[in-house]
Amino acid sequence: MSLSSDSIHWSIKFVHSHSDGDLFPKILEFDAINQMADEFVKLVEGKDLSLFPPGSCRRFIVPKDEIAYRQATQLDPQDSILFTALIYQYGQGIENRRLPNTKVFSYRFKPDATLGLYASQTAWNDFWQSAYTESKNFNTILYCDIADFYNQIYHHIIENQLIASQFPNQAIKWIISLLESTTAGVSRGVPIGPHAIHLIAESAMIPIDNSLSSIGIKFMRFADDILVFCDSPNSAKQALASIASTLDKQQRLMLQRHKTKFYKASEFRALCRSMVEDRPISFAEDRVLKIVRKYSGDNPYATLSYNVISDEDWKAISGNIISSIIKDYMGKNRYVTSMIKQFIESFAPSLIVQKFSSRFSNLGQKEVDYIRLRWFYRRLTQIGHPGAIDISLENIANLAPCFSNICIYLSSVQSIEPEKWIIIGEKLLNLLESNEVQGNEYFRLSILSLFTKNQYINHFSALARQYTSSEPFARREILLSAKQNAAFDWLREYKESYQTMDVWQQIAYIYTCSGFPKDEKKYFLNRLTLNRPFEVVLAKWARNV
């Protein structure tokens, strides 16, 4: 068994366009590998996978909301390419064994160069909209959530499912060794973060889905969320007992107590409306989203140039409007919006009230809906509008669960003056010293990554002073920012430190060497002992730039 040329090429293009996951800054070295894709393919195509043992992953604690956190993993860059290529080449075997997409909605495998590995970008909305319709035929709905699902998946379950899905033996061994490398040898848990891991996790649910279906339970599932449709409260309780038993017997999984609930049909339909992503918090957000959809064609991954948006539409998305939307989510406009809602309910016809209440269902809510707010930041990222910069940086402590999305948004911003970026850079440096950021490595990584992508955030002297006292992950970002700021004379001083750098710093340093004089970088790079295809091709790119 070996990877095909087509699979490797597709994987390289995918990670270059979509990054290796949604939680971490894009690995800049992917740009170089994409330019030298043929060279990388030659070193991997047709080779035994055992020649490419998994490298070193990185793990960070990432906030989910104001209280909950999760451990996210970023795979070694070469592993990201190989893993994605394996799933691209053999993933259909998993997909063919899954229940229909009217029952299991999450991560349906259908690779597309533009949209990614999975079929639908609206699967979450489809799940809740289908559940809404289905609930009309039942008295009681049971909502179950599997506790800490990704971290509880046994590797032998995945191995068995990959065998059943006709993955070649060599591919299975490599994937299991990759998983073990991310869990320090513990045979349980899959990394949270990589795009391709979702299909692996879905494979572990195949026997559970089949078992529940076999005993006649009427359910729909999205990842670890299971909805069960029952004729009575008593039958819902019986279904809960059956599901708990199946999860335990199949994989020793458990349900989350605080998220597993019984709903009357009418209550459940209200929940469905609240779970749909595309539910603007206000008329202002509704207006902004319509403009984004107008130019993106409903493609959530489309990145739009400032020039393609008409002057009229661009002016309609003012900074004040965007600020007001984010304030709505944070609750700073809740008194005003609740008063508006009360006014409408008092004086407007009932049909208008009903339409208003369902369309803007989270207006005046008490808790911040970080899931929806992150979704809104992703929409802003598509158009690169600068309107959310100031309010985001000023309220970063309250927006911590959206931190990664904010940083990705900032890197997408277009149409502002270089002088404004200098001010933004100063604010980012101040954030690095704040208590909220100092206590979280992931926050510091996200902020530092912004200095690697924008030539106008020119504060490298401040970063250079922090280099020797910084952690390895921060040093990597400072090295990359040195290249962005053409600080090659500073970089030269660390050639002798290359051998003591960790692997992530080393590939960053090879990447930055591309800016050295031709003979200097050739001499330095030729002296390195590079065995892995990723580093070999990266060094060749650096020599030729």
Side-chain angles (χ1 to χ4, degrees):
M1 173 272 160
S2 57
L3 284 168
S4 69
S5 173
D6 287 345
S7 298
I8 305 167
H9 271 294
W10 192 93
S11 177
I12 292 171
K13 290 179 181 178
F14 174 80
V15 297
H16 177 252
S17 300
H18 299 272
S19 191
D20 55 344
D22 294 325
L23 299 175
F24 294 99
K26 181 182 177 181
I27 296 172
L28 298 183
E29 294 89 334
F30 281 148
D31 294 339
I33 302 301
N34 185 56
Q35 293 177 38
M36 304 282 287
D38 290 339
E39 298 291 332
F40 185 88
V41 171
K42 287 177 184 177
L43 295 176
V44 175
E45 178 190 13
K47 300 293 196 309
D48 191 312
L49 281 175
S50 63
L51 297 174
F52 314 116
S56 300
C57 65
R58 305 196 297 180
R59 286 187 290 274
F60 295 87
I61 301 299
V62 180
K64 295 174 66 175
D65 53 37
E66 291 175 297
I67 298 174
Y69 286 79
R70 60 184 168 184
Q71 186 180 77
T73 300
Q74 187 171 36
L75 298 178
D76 167 271
Q78 178 172 290
D79 293 346
S80 290
I81 294 174
L82 298 183
F83 183 40
T84 303
L86 280 170
I87 296 302
Y88 174 81
Q89 188 164 329
Y90 298 107
Q92 192 61 43
I94 296 174
E95 181 62 28
N96 291 341
R97 299 178 52 246
R98 302 174 69 190
L99 293 183
N101 59 9
T102 54
K103 188 177 288 287
V104 176
F105 287 76
S106 45
Y107 305 109
R108 305 306 306 217
F109 182 70
K110 189 177 181 182
D112 181 274
T114 302
L115 298 179
L117 282 167
Y118 305 109
S120 176
Q121 308 308 316
T122 62
W124 177 255
N125 288 349
D126 296 340
F127 173 61
W128 288 103
Q129 289 168 354
S130 297
Y132 180 96
T133 301
E134 188 67 22
S135 69
K136 295 178 181 179
N137 303 316
F138 294 89
N139 173 275
T140 306
I141 292 85
L142 167 63
Y143 181 9
C144 301
D145 182 273
I146 301 174
D148 201 20
F149 174 52
Y150 275 41
N151 287 324
Q152 301 304 317
I153 301 174
Y154 282 107
H155 294 173
H156 76 269
I157 296 292
I158 292 173
E159 184 175 8
N160 291 339
Q161 291 306 310
L162 295 182
I163 291 171
S165 302
Q166 299 184 337
F167 274 56
N169 185 53
Q170 202 181 118
I172 296 171
K173 287 183 176 179
W174 191 89
I175 290 173
I176 297 302
S177 68
L178 175 68
L179 298 181
E180 290 177 346
S181 75
T182 67
T183 60
V186 176
S187 60
R188 193 171 191 175
V190 300
I192 295 172
H195 291 298
I197 203 65
H198 297 305
L199 192 64
I200 296 295
E202 288 294 324
S203 74
M205 288 298 296
I206 290 175
I208 293 173
D209 293 336
N210 290 341
S211 181
L212 296 180
S213 184
S214 296
I215 61 177
I217 291 182
K218 176 75 175 178
F219 75 96
M220 293 180 182
R221 182 177 65 79
F222 190 101
D224 54 2
D225 291 329
I226 304 172
L227 304 177
V228 185
F229 302 90
C230 307
D231 293 323
S232 67
N234 187 52
S235 62
K237 291 178 182 178
Q238 293 174 2
L240 175 58
S242 297
I243 292 171
S245 176
T246 297
L247 291 173
D248 178 65
K249 291 176 180 178
Q250 288 277 357
Q251 299 184 34
R252 294 292 186 266
L253 295 171
M254 298 177 63
L255 294 173
Q256 284 203 60
R257 173 66 182 85
H258 71 282
K259 291 186 70 175
T260 298
K261 297 180 180 179
F262 299 102
Y263 288 90
K264 294 179 180 178
S266 58
E267 295 172 340
F268 179 76
R269 286 193 285 277
L271 174 69
C272 291
R273 287 192 293 268
S274 72
M275 297 301 284
V276 174
E277 285 182 324
D278 189 7
R279 58 182 203 286
I281 197 170
S282 62
F283 292 109
E285 186 183 9
D286 186 47
R287 184 181 186 187
V288 170
L289 295 180
K290 284 178 179 176
I291 293 175
V292 174
R293 285 194 291 269
K294 176 180 177 180
Y295 292 94
S296 68
D298 270 344
N299 177 0
Y301 289 105
T303 300
L304 306 171
S305 169
Y306 163 72
N307 296 326
V308 305
I309 301 174
S310 71
D311 290 341
E312 180 181 1
D313 285 337
W314 193 256
K315 291 176 182 177
I317 312 175
S318 70
N320 288 336
I321 288 175
I322 292 176
S323 293
S324 72
I325 294 168
I326 295 174
K327 287 178 180 178
D328 282 337
Y329 277 108
M330 292 191 298
K332 296 190 175 183
N333 287 348
R334 279 184 197 139
Y335 175 76
V336 175
T337 53
S338 65
M339 292 297 291
I340 293 173
K341 187 175 181 181
Q342 290 177 26
F343 175 83
I344 292 178
E345 290 174 345
S346 298
F347 297 101
S350 59
L351 184 62
I352 296 177
V353 172
Q354 183 180 2
K355 182 177 180 181
F356 177 92
S357 298
S358 61
R359 184 61 172 155
F360 308 110
S361 57
N362 49 355
L363 190 62
Q365 62 190 10
K366 293 182 179 180
E367 296 182 359
V368 179
D369 187 345
Y370 289 109
I371 294 175
R372 269 285 307 134
L373 184 51
R374 286 192 287 263
W375 188 86
F376 179 64
Y377 271 110
R378 288 196 288 272
R379 301 291 77 77
L380 288 181
T381 298
Q382 288 187 264
I383 60 174
H385 196 287
I389 293 176
D390 291 335
I391 188 170
S392 299
L393 294 179
E394 291 166 4
N395 294 275
I396 203 68
N398 297 324
L399 295 171
C402 304
F403 207 95
S404 174
N405 303 90
I406 291 172
C407 289
I408 294 172
Y409 157 72
L410 289 174
S411 66
S412 75
V413 169
Q414 309 172 60
S415 75
I416 66 173
E417 304 79 9
E419 294 77 14
K420 180 71 180 286
W421 279 120
I422 294 174
I423 297 172
I424 293 170
E426 292 172 353
K427 291 182 178 180
L428 292 174
L429 288 175
N430 290 333
L431 273 179
L432 283 172
E433 302 300 322
S434 67
N435 292 333
E436 294 83 6
V437 172
Q438 280 290 313
N440 190 297
E441 292 180 342
Y442 178 72
F443 290 168
R444 297 204 299 281
L445 168 69
S446 300
I447 290 176
L448 287 169
S449 71
L450 293 171
F451 291 90
T452 73
K453 299 179 177 68
N454 191 318
Q455 62 180 316
Y456 299 115
I457 308 180
N458 188 2
H459 298 74
F460 181 71
S461 59
L463 298 180
R465 290 193 294 271
Q466 299 178 22
Y467 181 81
T468 55
S469 60
S470 296
E471 305 99 320
F473 76 87
R475 290 187 180 191
R476 168 181 160 79
E477 300 305 315
I478 295 172
L479 290 172
L480 293 170
S481 66
K483 180 181 183 301
Q484 181 64 251
N485 288 273
F488 298 111
D489 292 323
W490 179 87
L491 281 166
R492 181 178 294 112
E493 298 173 12
Y494 289 92
K495 285 195 294 186
E496 294 180 0
S497 302
Y498 174 86
Q499 297 299 337
T500 61
M501 296 177 181
D502 69 14
V503 173
W504 287 82
Q505 292 174 70
Q506 286 180 342
I507 62 174
Y509 197 80
I510 293 172
Y511 180 74
T512 63
C513 281
S514 61
F516 288 173
K518 183 176 181 180
D519 288 344
E520 180 183 5
K521 64 184 177 183
K522 181 179 178 181
Y523 178 75
F524 173 74
L525 293 171
N526 286 347
R527 292 175 62 237
L528 302 180
T529 302
L530 304 174
N531 299 314
R532 304 171 80 239
F534 192 93
E535 284 88 329
V536 170
V537 174
L538 185 62
K540 188 170 184 178
W541 171 85
R543 290 189 196 95
N544 294 336
V545 171

